[in-house]
Amino acid sequence: MAKQAGETLSRKWEWVERSIWTDRMLEALDQGVKGGVWFSLIDKVYRPGTLELAFRKVRANKGAPGIDRQSIQQFAAREQEYLRKLNELLEQDLYEPQPVRRVYIEKPGGKGQRPLGIPTIRDRVVQSALRAVLEPIFERRFHDRSYGFRPGRGCRDALREVDRLLKAGYTHVVDADIQGYFDNMDHDRLMGEVHRDVADGRVLGLLEKYLSQAVMDGLKTWTPEEGTPQGAVISPLLANIYLDPVDHAVAEAGYEMVRYADDFVILCRSREEAEEALNLIRTQMEERKLTLHPEKTRIADVLRRGEGFDFLGYHFERGKRWPRRKSVQKLKDRLRPLTRRTSGNSLEYTVVRINRTLTGWFEYFKHCSEVGLSSVDSWIRGRLRSILRKRSGRRGRARGRDHQLWPNAYFRKLGLFCLEDARLAALQSLRGNC
């Protein structure tokens, strides 16, 4: 019986790093540790095996160098030396994080820029080790309706839950947006949440060092008083810790919330209920010194035309869902350089490169309604017809007779991946398995 219980426990926590989390620790994790908080964790962070495992994860995730300009390949060339040094510094409590390098990436649609913080490779290794030790402790209490950056969960699970609730009649939706979430988390409140489960002073001190880690933005260096950098390995876990009490408060009030990191919706049966839920979530955010975006936060009746909502790349409206405008725009931005009229590549080569992008995009959006994909197919064929038109000595974009010269069948014969055909094939396959 004890063996069977141990096997069940191992399956439940199969995602944890077993080199760190022993059977005895898993049992304490499952049943609750004495006193309700965890002590003596720092030795598991700096253990050589944990650091080696952490670097393997950092290496697999790739990424750019930090302020020291050291690449993953350069770190790997002297891996044992660097990991041994990190082990010594952490064990002797002498480790200090280096400043984070700030970069900016374009937001979808070109509307402004989003700041990212890039730690050095060695800091990413230590954060990865810290996350491997801490994550199971907090996973134990995280709410089921939280899906972002959690083991065994992802976007598709969150989307399925939204779809289920909409079909069950929860058609009035609080579509909320938190302004600058990662940049505005209150450090004292966040550490207070961590203190609920962790009492190892050196681990807590390590987290505080990361929260007060300097930021290098060009030639300017400054120390943040709030927030955690997007791009840091430890940030997703801290973000979930900070909002977990909100998940529980909303559920205890009887509302259905689906959250993926800082992106969430609350699905209700009536507008009155949605207004009450919005008031609750606004209060919860104010308590955490966060602000809901006044223009992007609203209540949507998804049964009415034009009142849908966006969530995780999809747009939901009137019982259907399709890629939201920004998702389509992002795809087009990736395909434009491949389909310029001045391209000197053969059409066959261009189609192969297009297909690499389309097949991956389709894998995420294959559950669209019929309105979602055919317009993208038409746009791509139009780009290819424009290439052919130029090569035949004519100016301008494809139009009119070009559709007869190069019909859709022409591109099918070339092997162009058709999103709508793939969607229909996926539907037929699904029906055949029912």
Side-chain angles (χ1 to χ4, degrees), residues 351-408:
V351 164
V352 168
R353 296 186 69 192
I354 290 172
N355 286 352
R356 288 175 190 162
T357 299
L358 284 181
T359 50
W361 194 81
F362 173 75
E363 188 58 32
Y364 186 76
F365 288 105
K366 63 184 177 183
H367 300 295
C368 283
S369 305
E370 64 274 12
V371 297
L373 303 177
S374 58
S375 62
V376 179
D377 285 327
S378 297
W379 180 85
I380 294 169
R381 288 192 293 263
R383 298 280 295 183
L384 295 177
R385 287 187 181 106
S386 293
I387 293 174
L388 291 167
R389 180 183 176 88
K390 181 173 178 59
R391 289 179 183 176
S392 64
R394 289 180 292 162
R395 295 181 179 179
R397 297 170 59 183
R399 56 186 181 273
R401 200 166 68 89
D402 295 329
H403 291 264
Q404 284 75 49
L405 286 172
W406 302 291
N408 294 355

Short mmCIF file of all heavy atoms in Angstrom, two decimals, residues 351-408:
data_model
loop_
_atom_site.label_atom_id
_atom_site.label_comp_id
_atom_site.label_asym_id
_atom_site.label_seq_id
_atom_site.Cartn_x
_atom_site.Cartn_y
_atom_site.Cartn_z
N VAL A 351 7.71 29.22 -51.62
CA VAL A 351 6.60 28.45 -51.05
C VAL A 351 7.08 27.58 -49.88
O VAL A 351 6.42 27.48 -48.84
CB VAL A 351 5.92 27.58 -52.13
CG1 VAL A 351 5.04 26.49 -51.50
CG2 VAL A 351 5.08 28.46 -53.05
N VAL A 352 8.25 26.97 -50.04
CA VAL A 352 8.81 26.14 -48.95
C VAL A 352 9.01 26.99 -47.70
O VAL A 352 8.67 26.57 -46.58
CB VAL A 352 10.14 25.50 -49.39
CG1 VAL A 352 10.87 24.88 -48.19
CG2 VAL A 352 9.89 24.42 -50.44
N ARG A 353 9.54 28.19 -47.86
CA ARG A 353 9.80 29.07 -46.71
C ARG A 353 8.49 29.58 -46.10
O ARG A 353 8.37 29.69 -44.87
CB ARG A 353 10.68 30.25 -47.13
CG ARG A 353 12.08 29.82 -47.58
CD ARG A 353 12.96 31.02 -47.84
NE ARG A 353 13.28 31.72 -46.60
CZ ARG A 353 13.84 32.92 -46.55
NH1 ARG A 353 14.13 33.57 -47.68
NH2 ARG A 353 14.11 33.50 -45.40
N ILE A 354 7.51 29.89 -46.94
CA ILE A 354 6.20 30.31 -46.43
C ILE A 354 5.58 29.19 -45.61
O ILE A 354 5.03 29.41 -44.52
CB ILE A 354 5.27 30.70 -47.60
CG1 ILE A 354 5.73 32.01 -48.24
CG2 ILE A 354 3.82 30.84 -47.11
CD1 ILE A 354 4.96 32.34 -49.51
N ASN A 355 5.66 27.96 -46.13
CA ASN A 355 5.04 26.82 -45.47
C ASN A 355 5.59 26.58 -44.07
O ASN A 355 4.86 26.17 -43.17
CB ASN A 355 5.21 25.56 -46.31
CG ASN A 355 4.30 25.56 -47.53
OD1 ASN A 355 3.44 26.42 -47.68
ND2 ASN A 355 4.49 24.59 -48.41
N ARG A 356 6.88 26.83 -43.89
CA ARG A 356 7.47 26.65 -42.56
C ARG A 356 6.80 27.54 -41.53
O ARG A 356 6.56 27.14 -40.39
CB ARG A 356 8.97 26.97 -42.60
CG ARG A 356 9.82 25.95 -43.33
CD ARG A 356 11.26 26.42 -43.41
NE ARG A 356 12.06 25.58 -44.30
CZ ARG A 356 13.21 25.94 -44.81
NH1 ARG A 356 13.71 27.15 -44.55
NH2 ARG A 356 13.89 25.11 -45.60
N THR A 357 6.50 28.77 -41.93
CA THR A 357 5.82 29.70 -41.03
C THR A 357 4.35 29.35 -40.87
O THR A 357 3.81 29.34 -39.75
CB THR A 357 5.96 31.14 -41.55
OG1 THR A 357 7.35 31.49 -41.60
CG2 THR A 357 5.23 32.13 -40.66
N LEU A 358 3.68 29.02 -41.97
CA LEU A 358 2.24 28.77 -41.93
C LEU A 358 1.88 27.53 -41.12
O LEU A 358 0.88 27.53 -40.39
CB LEU A 358 1.70 28.61 -43.36
CG LEU A 358 1.53 29.88 -44.20
CD1 LEU A 358 0.96 29.53 -45.56
CD2 LEU A 358 0.64 30.89 -43.48
N THR A 359 2.66 26.46 -41.26
CA THR A 359 2.30 25.23 -40.55
C THR A 359 2.36 25.41 -39.04
O THR A 359 1.50 24.91 -38.31
CB THR A 359 3.21 24.06 -40.98
OG1 THR A 359 4.59 24.47 -40.89
CG2 THR A 359 2.92 23.63 -42.41
N GLY A 360 3.38 26.15 -38.56
CA GLY A 360 3.46 26.41 -37.13
C GLY A 360 2.33 27.31 -36.65
O GLY A 360 1.76 27.09 -35.58
N TRP A 361 2.01 28.32 -37.44
CA TRP A 361 0.92 29.25 -37.09
C TRP A 361 -0.41 28.52 -37.07
O TRP A 361 -1.23 28.71 -36.15
CB TRP A 361 0.90 30.39 -38.12
CG TRP A 361 0.08 31.59 -37.73
CD1 TRP A 361 0.45 32.60 -36.92
CD2 TRP A 361 -1.24 31.90 -38.19
NE1 TRP A 361 -0.56 33.54 -36.83
CE2 TRP A 361 -1.61 33.13 -37.60
CE3 TRP A 361 -2.14 31.27 -39.04
CZ2 TRP A 361 -2.83 33.74 -37.83
CZ3 TRP A 361 -3.37 31.86 -39.27
CH2 TRP A 361 -3.71 33.08 -38.66
N PHE A 362 -0.62 27.65 -38.05
CA PHE A 362 -1.87 26.89 -38.13
C PHE A 362 -2.04 25.96 -36.94
O PHE A 362 -3.16 25.77 -36.44
CB PHE A 362 -1.93 26.08 -39.43
CG PHE A 362 -3.11 25.15 -39.49
CD1 PHE A 362 -4.38 25.64 -39.73
CD2 PHE A 362 -2.95 23.79 -39.28
CE1 PHE A 362 -5.49 24.79 -39.76
CE2 PHE A 362 -4.04 22.94 -39.30
CZ PHE A 362 -5.31 23.44 -39.55
N GLU A 363 -0.96 25.38 -36.47
CA GLU A 363 -1.06 24.44 -35.36
C GLU A 363 -1.72 25.09 -34.14
O GLU A 363 -2.45 24.44 -33.40
CB GLU A 363 0.33 23.93 -34.99
CG GLU A 363 0.36 22.81 -33.97
CD GLU A 363 -0.43 21.59 -34.40
OE1 GLU A 363 -0.51 21.30 -35.61
OE2 GLU A 363 -1.01 20.92 -33.50
N TYR A 364 -1.48 26.40 -33.97
CA TYR A 364 -2.11 27.10 -32.85
C TYR A 364 -3.53 27.55 -33.18
O TYR A 364 -4.41 27.54 -32.32
CB TYR A 364 -1.25 28.32 -32.46
CG TYR A 364 -1.75 29.01 -31.21
CD1 TYR A 364 -1.52 28.47 -29.95
CD2 TYR A 364 -2.46 30.20 -31.27
CE1 TYR A 364 -1.98 29.09 -28.80
CE2 TYR A 364 -2.93 30.84 -30.14
CZ TYR A 364 -2.68 30.28 -28.90
OH TYR A 364 -3.15 30.88 -27.76
N PHE A 365 -3.76 27.94 -34.44
CA PHE A 365 -5.05 28.53 -34.80
C PHE A 365 -5.97 27.57 -35.57
O PHE A 365 -6.93 28.01 -36.18
CB PHE A 365 -4.83 29.81 -35.63
CG PHE A 365 -4.30 30.96 -34.83
CD1 PHE A 365 -2.98 31.34 -34.94
CD2 PHE A 365 -5.12 31.64 -33.94
CE1 PHE A 365 -2.47 32.41 -34.20
CE2 PHE A 365 -4.63 32.70 -33.19
CZ PHE A 365 -3.30 33.08 -33.31
N LYS A 366 -5.69 26.28 -35.52
CA LYS A 366 -6.48 25.34 -36.32
C LYS A 366 -7.91 25.18 -35.81
O LYS A 366 -8.74 24.60 -36.50
CB LYS A 366 -5.79 23.98 -36.37
CG LYS A 366 -5.63 23.28 -35.03
CD LYS A 366 -4.84 21.99 -35.22
CE LYS A 366 -4.59 21.29 -33.91
NZ LYS A 366 -3.74 20.08 -34.09
N HIS A 367 -8.20 25.67 -34.62
CA HIS A 367 -9.56 25.55 -34.09
C HIS A 367 -10.41 26.78 -34.39
O HIS A 367 -11.44 27.01 -33.74
CB HIS A 367 -9.51 25.29 -32.58
CG HIS A 367 -8.78 24.03 -32.22
ND1 HIS A 367 -9.24 22.79 -32.58
CD2 HIS A 367 -7.62 23.84 -31.56
CE1 HIS A 367 -8.39 21.87 -32.14
NE2 HIS A 367 -7.40 22.48 -31.52
N CYS A 368 -10.00 27.56 -35.36
CA CYS A 368 -10.76 28.74 -35.76
C CYS A 368 -12.09 28.34 -36.40
O CYS A 368 -12.24 27.24 -36.93
CB CYS A 368 -9.98 29.56 -36.79
SG CYS A 368 -8.67 30.53 -36.05
N SER A 369 -13.02 29.28 -36.40
CA SER A 369 -14.25 29.13 -37.17
C SER A 369 -13.93 29.39 -38.64
O SER A 369 -12.85 29.85 -38.98
CB SER A 369 -15.31 30.11 -36.67
OG SER A 369 -15.52 29.94 -35.28
N GLU A 370 -14.91 29.14 -39.50
CA GLU A 370 -14.66 29.21 -40.95
C GLU A 370 -14.26 30.60 -41.42
O GLU A 370 -13.62 30.76 -42.47
CB GLU A 370 -15.90 28.75 -41.73
CG GLU A 370 -17.15 29.60 -41.55
CD GLU A 370 -17.99 29.22 -40.35
OE1 GLU A 370 -17.51 28.44 -39.50
OE2 GLU A 370 -19.12 29.71 -40.24
N VAL A 371 -14.62 31.64 -40.65
CA VAL A 371 -14.30 33.01 -41.09
C VAL A 371 -12.85 33.38 -40.83
O VAL A 371 -12.39 34.43 -41.27
CB VAL A 371 -15.20 34.04 -40.36
CG1 VAL A 371 -16.65 33.82 -40.72
CG2 VAL A 371 -15.01 33.95 -38.84
N GLY A 372 -12.11 32.52 -40.15
CA GLY A 372 -10.82 32.95 -39.64
C GLY A 372 -9.63 32.86 -40.55
O GLY A 372 -8.69 33.63 -40.40
N LEU A 373 -9.61 31.91 -41.49
CA LEU A 373 -8.38 31.60 -42.18
C LEU A 373 -8.37 31.88 -43.68
O LEU A 373 -7.31 32.08 -44.27
CB LEU A 373 -8.02 30.13 -41.94
CG LEU A 373 -7.87 29.71 -40.47
CD1 LEU A 373 -7.60 28.22 -40.37
CD2 LEU A 373 -6.76 30.49 -39.80
N SER A 374 -9.54 31.86 -44.31
CA SER A 374 -9.58 32.00 -45.76
C SER A 374 -9.04 33.35 -46.23
O SER A 374 -8.41 33.45 -47.29
CB SER A 374 -11.01 31.80 -46.28
OG SER A 374 -11.89 32.73 -45.68
N SER A 375 -9.26 34.41 -45.44
CA SER A 375 -8.76 35.73 -45.85
C SER A 375 -7.24 35.78 -45.82
O SER A 375 -6.61 36.48 -46.64
CB SER A 375 -9.34 36.83 -44.94
OG SER A 375 -8.93 36.63 -43.60
N VAL A 376 -6.62 35.03 -44.91
CA VAL A 376 -5.16 34.96 -44.86
C VAL A 376 -4.64 34.22 -46.09
O VAL A 376 -3.65 34.63 -46.72
CB VAL A 376 -4.67 34.27 -43.57
CG1 VAL A 376 -3.14 34.19 -43.54
CG2 VAL A 376 -5.17 35.03 -42.33
N ASP A 377 -5.32 33.12 -46.45
CA ASP A 377 -4.95 32.39 -47.67
C ASP A 377 -5.00 33.31 -48.88
O ASP A 377 -4.08 33.31 -49.71
CB ASP A 377 -5.91 31.21 -47.89
CG ASP A 377 -5.65 30.05 -46.96
OD1 ASP A 377 -4.48 29.83 -46.59
OD2 ASP A 377 -6.61 29.35 -46.59
N SER A 378 -6.06 34.10 -49.00
CA SER A 378 -6.22 35.01 -50.14
C SER A 378 -5.10 36.04 -50.18
O SER A 378 -4.58 36.36 -51.26
CB SER A 378 -7.57 35.72 -50.07
OG SER A 378 -8.63 34.79 -50.16
N TRP A 379 -4.73 36.56 -49.02
CA TRP A 379 -3.67 37.56 -48.95
C TRP A 379 -2.34 36.98 -49.42
O TRP A 379 -1.61 37.62 -50.18
CB TRP A 379 -3.56 38.08 -47.51
CG TRP A 379 -2.49 39.11 -47.32
CD1 TRP A 379 -2.60 40.45 -47.53
CD2 TRP A 379 -1.15 38.88 -46.88
NE1 TRP A 379 -1.41 41.08 -47.23
CE2 TRP A 379 -0.50 40.15 -46.84
CE3 TRP A 379 -0.43 37.74 -46.50
CZ2 TRP A 379 0.83 40.29 -46.43
CZ3 TRP A 379 0.89 37.88 -46.12
CH2 TRP A 379 1.51 39.14 -46.09
N ILE A 380 -2.02 35.77 -48.98
CA ILE A 380 -0.76 35.13 -49.38
C ILE A 380 -0.74 34.87 -50.88
O ILE A 380 0.26 35.17 -51.56
CB ILE A 380 -0.55 33.81 -48.60
CG1 ILE A 380 -0.36 34.11 -47.12
CG2 ILE A 380 0.65 33.04 -49.15
CD1 ILE A 380 -0.41 32.88 -46.23
N ARG A 381 -1.83 34.34 -51.42
CA ARG A 381 -1.87 34.09 -52.87
C ARG A 381 -1.74 35.40 -53.64
O ARG A 381 -1.12 35.46 -54.70
CB ARG A 381 -3.15 33.34 -53.23
CG ARG A 381 -3.16 31.88 -52.78
CD ARG A 381 -4.31 31.13 -53.41
NE ARG A 381 -5.60 31.60 -52.92
CZ ARG A 381 -6.30 31.02 -51.94
NH1 ARG A 381 -5.82 29.93 -51.33
NH2 ARG A 381 -7.46 31.51 -51.56
N GLY A 382 -2.33 36.47 -53.11
CA GLY A 382 -2.21 37.78 -53.75
C GLY A 382 -0.76 38.24 -53.81
O GLY A 382 -0.31 38.80 -54.81
N ARG A 383 -0.01 38.01 -52.73
CA ARG A 383 1.41 38.37 -52.72
C ARG A 383 2.18 37.58 -53.77
O ARG A 383 3.05 38.13 -54.47
CB ARG A 383 2.00 38.09 -51.33
CG ARG A 383 1.39 38.87 -50.19
CD ARG A 383 1.90 40.27 -50.08
NE ARG A 383 3.33 40.34 -49.75
CZ ARG A 383 3.97 41.48 -49.55
NH1 ARG A 383 3.33 42.64 -49.67
NH2 ARG A 383 5.26 41.49 -49.25
N LEU A 384 1.87 36.30 -53.88
CA LEU A 384 2.57 35.46 -54.86
C LEU A 384 2.19 35.84 -56.29
O LEU A 384 3.04 35.84 -57.20
CB LEU A 384 2.27 33.99 -54.60
CG LEU A 384 2.80 33.43 -53.26
CD1 LEU A 384 2.37 31.99 -53.08
CD2 LEU A 384 4.32 33.55 -53.19
N ARG A 385 0.92 36.18 -56.52
CA ARG A 385 0.49 36.62 -57.86
C ARG A 385 1.20 37.93 -58.25
O ARG A 385 1.52 38.15 -59.43
CB ARG A 385 -1.03 36.81 -57.89
CG ARG A 385 -1.81 35.50 -57.88
CD ARG A 385 -3.30 35.74 -58.09
NE ARG A 385 -4.02 34.48 -58.05
CZ ARG A 385 -4.79 34.08 -57.04
NH1 ARG A 385 -4.94 34.87 -55.97
NH2 ARG A 385 -5.41 32.91 -57.08
N SER A 386 1.46 38.79 -57.24
CA SER A 386 2.17 40.04 -57.53
C SER A 386 3.60 39.76 -57.98
O SER A 386 4.14 40.47 -58.85
CB SER A 386 2.17 40.94 -56.29
OG SER A 386 0.86 41.38 -55.98
N ILE A 387 4.23 38.75 -57.40
CA ILE A 387 5.57 38.36 -57.82
C ILE A 387 5.53 37.88 -59.28
O ILE A 387 6.35 38.29 -60.12
CB ILE A 387 6.13 37.23 -56.92
CG1 ILE A 387 6.36 37.75 -55.50
CG2 ILE A 387 7.44 36.68 -57.49
CD1 ILE A 387 6.78 36.67 -54.50
N LEU A 388 4.56 37.02 -59.58
CA LEU A 388 4.43 36.48 -60.94
C LEU A 388 4.09 37.58 -61.94
O LEU A 388 4.57 37.58 -63.08
CB LEU A 388 3.36 35.39 -60.95
CG LEU A 388 3.73 34.11 -60.19
CD1 LEU A 388 2.50 33.24 -59.99
CD2 LEU A 388 4.82 33.34 -60.93
N ARG A 389 3.27 38.52 -61.51
CA ARG A 389 2.89 39.63 -62.39
C ARG A 389 4.12 40.46 -62.77
O ARG A 389 4.31 40.82 -63.93
CB ARG A 389 1.85 40.50 -61.66
CG ARG A 389 1.37 41.71 -62.46
CD ARG A 389 0.41 42.52 -61.60
NE ARG A 389 0.01 43.74 -62.29
CZ ARG A 389 -1.03 43.82 -63.12
NH1 ARG A 389 -1.78 42.75 -63.35
NH2 ARG A 389 -1.34 44.96 -63.71
N LYS A 390 4.99 40.75 -61.78
CA LYS A 390 6.19 41.53 -62.06
C LYS A 390 7.12 40.76 -63.00
O LYS A 390 7.73 41.35 -63.90
CB LYS A 390 6.91 41.87 -60.75
CG LYS A 390 8.16 42.72 -60.96
CD LYS A 390 8.75 43.17 -59.64
CE LYS A 390 10.02 43.97 -59.86
NZ LYS A 390 9.80 45.18 -60.69
N ARG A 391 7.20 39.45 -62.77
CA ARG A 391 8.10 38.65 -63.61
C ARG A 391 7.60 38.53 -65.06
O ARG A 391 8.37 38.20 -65.96
CB ARG A 391 8.29 37.27 -62.99
CG ARG A 391 9.12 37.32 -61.71
CD ARG A 391 9.29 35.97 -61.07
NE ARG A 391 10.05 36.11 -59.82
CZ ARG A 391 10.30 35.11 -58.98
NH1 ARG A 391 9.87 33.88 -59.28
NH2 ARG A 391 10.99 35.33 -57.88
N SER A 392 6.30 38.79 -65.22
CA SER A 392 5.76 38.76 -66.59
C SER A 392 5.81 40.14 -67.24
O SER A 392 5.22 40.35 -68.30
CB SER A 392 4.34 38.21 -66.57
OG SER A 392 3.48 39.09 -65.86
N GLY A 393 6.48 41.10 -66.56
CA GLY A 393 6.70 42.42 -67.15
C GLY A 393 5.62 43.44 -66.87
O GLY A 393 5.61 44.51 -67.50
N ARG A 394 4.72 43.16 -65.93
CA ARG A 394 3.65 44.12 -65.63
C ARG A 394 3.87 44.76 -64.27
O ARG A 394 4.48 44.16 -63.38
CB ARG A 394 2.29 43.42 -65.68
CG ARG A 394 1.88 43.04 -67.10
CD ARG A 394 0.54 42.35 -67.13
NE ARG A 394 0.61 41.05 -66.50
CZ ARG A 394 -0.46 40.37 -66.07
NH1 ARG A 394 -1.66 40.91 -66.18
NH2 ARG A 394 -0.31 39.18 -65.54
N ARG A 395 3.36 45.95 -64.10
CA ARG A 395 3.54 46.70 -62.86
C ARG A 395 2.37 46.50 -61.91
O ARG A 395 1.30 46.06 -62.30
CB ARG A 395 3.69 48.19 -63.17
CG ARG A 395 4.93 48.55 -63.98
CD ARG A 395 4.98 50.05 -64.21
NE ARG A 395 6.17 50.45 -64.96
CZ ARG A 395 6.44 51.70 -65.30
NH1 ARG A 395 5.61 52.67 -64.95
NH2 ARG A 395 7.54 51.98 -65.98
N GLY A 396 2.60 46.93 -60.66
CA GLY A 396 1.50 46.96 -59.69
C GLY A 396 1.21 45.62 -59.04
O GLY A 396 1.83 44.60 -59.34
N ARG A 397 0.20 45.67 -58.16
CA ARG A 397 -0.20 44.48 -57.42
C ARG A 397 -1.13 43.61 -58.26
O ARG A 397 -1.76 44.08 -59.21
CB ARG A 397 -0.92 44.89 -56.14
CG ARG A 397 -0.03 45.68 -55.18
CD ARG A 397 -0.82 46.29 -54.04
NE ARG A 397 -1.51 45.27 -53.26
CZ ARG A 397 -2.31 45.54 -52.24
NH1 ARG A 397 -2.55 46.81 -51.90
NH2 ARG A 397 -2.90 44.57 -51.58
N ALA A 398 -1.22 42.34 -57.86
CA ALA A 398 -2.07 41.40 -58.59
C ALA A 398 -3.53 41.83 -58.51
O ALA A 398 -4.01 42.29 -57.48
CB ALA A 398 -1.91 40.01 -58.01
N ARG A 399 -4.26 41.66 -59.65
CA ARG A 399 -5.67 42.01 -59.69
C ARG A 399 -6.31 41.42 -60.95
O ARG A 399 -5.62 40.95 -61.86
CB ARG A 399 -5.87 43.53 -59.68
CG ARG A 399 -5.15 44.26 -60.82
CD ARG A 399 -5.28 45.77 -60.66
NE ARG A 399 -4.63 46.50 -61.74
CZ ARG A 399 -3.37 46.84 -61.76
NH1 ARG A 399 -2.59 46.52 -60.73
NH2 ARG A 399 -2.85 47.49 -62.78
N GLY A 400 -7.61 41.46 -60.97
CA GLY A 400 -8.37 41.09 -62.18
C GLY A 400 -7.98 39.77 -62.78
O GLY A 400 -8.13 38.71 -62.16
N ARG A 401 -7.44 39.82 -64.01
CA ARG A 401 -7.18 38.61 -64.80
C ARG A 401 -6.09 37.72 -64.19
O ARG A 401 -5.97 36.54 -64.55
CB ARG A 401 -6.77 39.01 -66.22
CG ARG A 401 -6.93 37.89 -67.25
CD ARG A 401 -6.84 38.46 -68.66
NE ARG A 401 -5.50 38.94 -68.95
CZ ARG A 401 -4.54 38.15 -69.48
NH1 ARG A 401 -4.79 36.88 -69.74
NH2 ARG A 401 -3.35 38.65 -69.73
N ASP A 402 -5.34 38.27 -63.24
CA ASP A 402 -4.28 37.47 -62.61
C ASP A 402 -4.85 36.23 -61.91
O ASP A 402 -4.17 35.21 -61.80
CB ASP A 402 -3.50 38.31 -61.60
CG ASP A 402 -2.75 39.45 -62.28
OD1 ASP A 402 -2.35 39.27 -63.44
OD2 ASP A 402 -2.58 40.51 -61.65
N HIS A 403 -6.08 36.33 -61.46
CA HIS A 403 -6.72 35.19 -60.79
C HIS A 403 -7.00 34.07 -61.79
O HIS A 403 -7.06 32.90 -61.40
CB HIS A 403 -8.01 35.62 -60.10
CG HIS A 403 -7.77 36.51 -58.92
ND1 HIS A 403 -7.71 36.04 -57.63
CD2 HIS A 403 -7.56 37.86 -58.83
CE1 HIS A 403 -7.47 37.05 -56.80
NE2 HIS A 403 -7.38 38.17 -57.51
N GLN A 404 -7.25 34.43 -63.06
CA GLN A 404 -7.45 33.40 -64.07
C GLN A 404 -6.11 32.84 -64.56
O GLN A 404 -5.99 31.64 -64.85
CB GLN A 404 -8.22 33.97 -65.28
CG GLN A 404 -9.73 34.16 -65.04
CD GLN A 404 -10.02 35.36 -64.16
OE1 GLN A 404 -9.51 36.45 -64.41
NE2 GLN A 404 -10.84 35.17 -63.13
N LEU A 405 -5.10 33.71 -64.64
CA LEU A 405 -3.78 33.24 -65.08
C LEU A 405 -3.16 32.29 -64.07
O LEU A 405 -2.54 31.28 -64.45
CB LEU A 405 -2.85 34.45 -65.28
CG LEU A 405 -3.09 35.31 -66.51
CD1 LEU A 405 -2.21 36.56 -66.46
CD2 LEU A 405 -2.77 34.51 -67.78
N TRP A 406 -3.33 32.64 -62.77
CA TRP A 406 -2.73 31.80 -61.71
C TRP A 406 -3.82 31.51 -60.67
O TRP A 406 -3.86 32.12 -59.59
CB TRP A 406 -1.56 32.53 -61.06
CG TRP A 406 -0.49 32.90 -62.06
CD1 TRP A 406 0.34 32.07 -62.73
CD2 TRP A 406 -0.16 34.23 -62.49
NE1 TRP A 406 1.18 32.77 -63.55
CE2 TRP A 406 0.90 34.11 -63.43
CE3 TRP A 406 -0.64 35.52 -62.20
CZ2 TRP A 406 1.48 35.20 -64.07
CZ3 TRP A 406 -0.06 36.60 -62.82
CH2 TRP A 406 0.98 36.45 -63.75
N PRO A 407 -4.71 30.57 -60.97
CA PRO A 407 -5.81 30.26 -60.04
C PRO A 407 -5.28 29.59 -58.77
O PRO A 407 -4.11 29.21 -58.68
CB PRO A 407 -6.67 29.30 -60.85
CG PRO A 407 -5.73 28.66 -61.81
CD PRO A 407 -4.72 29.71 -62.16
N ASN A 408 -6.19 29.41 -57.83
CA ASN A 408 -5.80 28.78 -56.56
C ASN A 408 -5.17 27.41 -56.78
O ASN A 408 -4.24 27.01 -56.06
CB ASN A 408 -7.02 28.66 -55.64
CG ASN A 408 -7.54 30.02 -55.20
OD1 ASN A 408 -6.95 31.06 -55.49
ND2 ASN A 408 -8.67 30.02 -54.49
#
